[in-house]
């Protein structure tokens, strides 16, 4: 994975489970309202960040390829 990613959290969906922080502590943090935020919205492709997105119980995390907007997660149907 040599790509750069854009990571976004839809805070209207986020339930503050903290699973993203458990899966990728370097990639996500929870604010005082227990809403998730990417530590860096632009990041190198990272298996832990992808695992966090895949493990989010409400699919609040979206990852796209920086520059092209190609979806990484969730994948296009």
């Amino acid at each position: 994975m040599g790509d750069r990613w854009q990571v976004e959290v839809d805070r209207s969906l986020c339930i503050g489970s903290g699973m993203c922080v458990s899966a990728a502590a370097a990639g996500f943090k929870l604010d005082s309202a227990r809403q998730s935020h990417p530590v860096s919205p632009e990041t190198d492709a990272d298996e832990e960040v992808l695992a966090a997105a895949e493990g989010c119980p409400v699919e609040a995390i979206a990852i796209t390829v920086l520059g092209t907007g190609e979806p990484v997660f969730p994948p296009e149907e």
Side-chain angles (χ1 to χ4, degrees):
M1 288 191 199
D3 293 327
R4 297 266 307 154
W5 287 348
Q6 176 77 36
V7 181
E8 298 178 2
V9 176
D10 184 339
R11 294 193 334 227
S12 70
L13 294 176
C14 179
I15 60 171
S17 73
M19 293 180 73
C20 55
V21 175
S22 295
F28 295 92
K29 63 184 176 186
L30 296 180
D31 64 18
S32 60
R34 292 201 47 87
Q35 293 287 293
S36 178
H37 300 269
V39 170
S40 177
E42 297 179 5
T43 187
D44 290 329
D46 183 307
E47 289 294 331
E48 289 182 352
V49 170
L50 180 59
E54 292 172 337
C56 177
V58 293
E59 292 188 358
I61 302 169
I63 304 170
T64 56
V65 176
L66 193 61
T68 68
E70 178 184 345
V72 175
F73 189 86
E76 285 184 328
E77 303 272 335

